[in-house]
Amino acid sequence: MNILTYTSNEELSAYAADFILDLVRAKPDAVLGLATGETPIGVYEQLVDRHRKSQVSFRQVKVFNLDEYAGLSPGHEQSYQTYMRKHLFSGIDLPSEHAYIPCGIADDLSAAARDYDRLLEEAGPLDLQLLGIGHNGHIGFNEPGEELYAETHVVKLTDETRAANSRYFELLEEVPEYAVTMGLGPIMRARQVLLIVRGENKAAVLKKALYGPVTTQCPASLLQLHPRLTVLLDEGAAKEL
Ligand code: PGA
């Protein structure tokens, strides 16, 4: 595991953006696993900026997002479709048909999840999975519990996750109770994983994830088993390491 700590979000995000851009430069048809949340916003900002300056093209790239809220239409302000369009897709030349996000509004969410896994499998292993971590150790929306799943699945969000994400909604009750998330399979099979963690309020969970027991109670702890894990931190997140 390679751990790098940065003093500013700008530096951290720049490193991550260059990491992704270098990968696409070396492999123009790279398959990228992408994340949402507050953490990667700076990365996407810099990626858009660097994409414009470097002219590295995303025309052959495919991206698969980790998750989507169940019940939010793609046009909903807080859907991850909207997030990705706003923060990344509108600023790069990725063809829209190469941008995959789990479907949160199908009549049969489980069937849609199986379709998503089929698409993932056809695309081949992810060349890179970008990840954040939840305060409870979740990756994607793989929440702590007795079991973890390899496949894309519907998940009931924990109270902690809903409370954390309620900052984007007017009321806690508006935060969806369910989501669809990629399972641990494609994440662990990704050729590389880039985990980004910012803020002192993630320091304790990060320590647990990287140095505690590997357990379903802290899904990010499985990353200890990944052969090519790079962890990018700010000083707050690195505080307990
Ligand atoms: P955050 O979310 O970047 O908004 O803290 C991370 C996560 O829940 O995976």
Side-chain angles (χ1 to χ4, degrees):
M1 161 187 349
N2 186 18
I3 302 180
L4 302 168
T5 305
Y6 293 89
T7 46
S8 75
N9 185 34
E10 282 67 35
E11 281 176 285
L12 187 161
S13 297
Y15 181 91
D18 283 338
F19 196 100
I20 296 170
L21 224 52
D22 287 348
L23 176 63
V24 173
R25 203 177 276 119
K27 189 174 181 191
D29 60 349
V31 185
L32 306 177
L34 298 182
T36 51
E38 195 177 334
T39 310
I41 290 178
V43 178
Y44 296 147
E45 230 172 67
Q46 301 231 20
L47 196 54
V48 167
D49 192 47
R50 284 164 151 70
H51 160 70
R52 289 206 181 110
K53 290 177 185 150
S54 70
Q55 294 172 354
V56 173
S57 174
F58 283 74
R59 293 188 68 81
Q60 296 180 63
V61 169
K62 284 188 177 152
V63 310
F64 286 85
N65 264 76
L66 284 166
D67 44 22
E68 179 59 285
Y69 288 115
L72 295 195
S73 66
H76 189 284
E77 227 194 320
Q78 295 307 333
S79 76
Y80 289 156
Q81 287 265 5
T82 298
Y83 172 105
M84 291 306 295
R85 267 198 307 275
K86 175 171 164 198
H87 294 294
L88 184 64
F89 298 160
S90 59
I92 59 174
D93 62 346
L94 179 82
S96 57
E97 66 274 19
H98 287 191
Y100 300 95
I101 298 184
C103 177
I105 51 160
D107 288 338
D108 185 343
L109 287 179
S110 299
R114 285 194 296 277
D115 289 343
Y116 198 66
D117 281 332
R118 216 167 296 129
L119 290 166
L120 265 165
E121 194 156 333
E122 277 167 23
L126 299 167
D127 290 296
L128 175 72
Q129 176 64 59
L130 182 66
L131 286 177
I133 184 174
H135 294 94
N136 61 0
H138 73 204
I139 45 177
F141 274 140
N142 293 280
E143 299 279 40
E146 295 296 310
E147 295 166 332
L148 290 171
Y149 298 92
E151 294 83 22
T152 302
H153 59 284
V154 179
V155 62
K156 186 168 176 25
L157 298 175
T158 60
D159 292 344
E160 198 173 359
T161 295
R162 292 186 67 234
N165 290 6
S166 66
R167 65 192 193 276
Y168 300 113
F169 294 81
E170 270 180 37
L171 299 167
L172 176 63
E173 297 76 65
E174 289 174 13
V175 184
E177 289 183 33
Y178 291 87
V180 182
T181 186
M182 195 189 281
L184 270 298
I187 298 172
M188 294 304 289
R189 285 193 295 272
R191 292 197 167 100
Q192 292 198 68
V193 173
L194 190 59
L195 172 67
I196 302 180
V197 190
R198 289 170 44 212
E200 203 170 332
N201 59 3
K202 298 262 180 86
V205 74
L206 179 72
K207 184 181 179 190
K208 245 171 73 178
L210 298 185
Y211 299 112
V214 175
T215 165
T216 59
Q217 300 299 337
C218 180
S221 67
L222 267 85
L223 298 174
Q224 292 177 37
L225 306 177
H226 196 283
R228 284 184 80 187
L229 170 66
T230 302
V231 187
L232 305 185
L233 307 175
D234 66 4
E235 286 176 332
K239 217 151 200 162
E240 294 195 26
L241 299 188

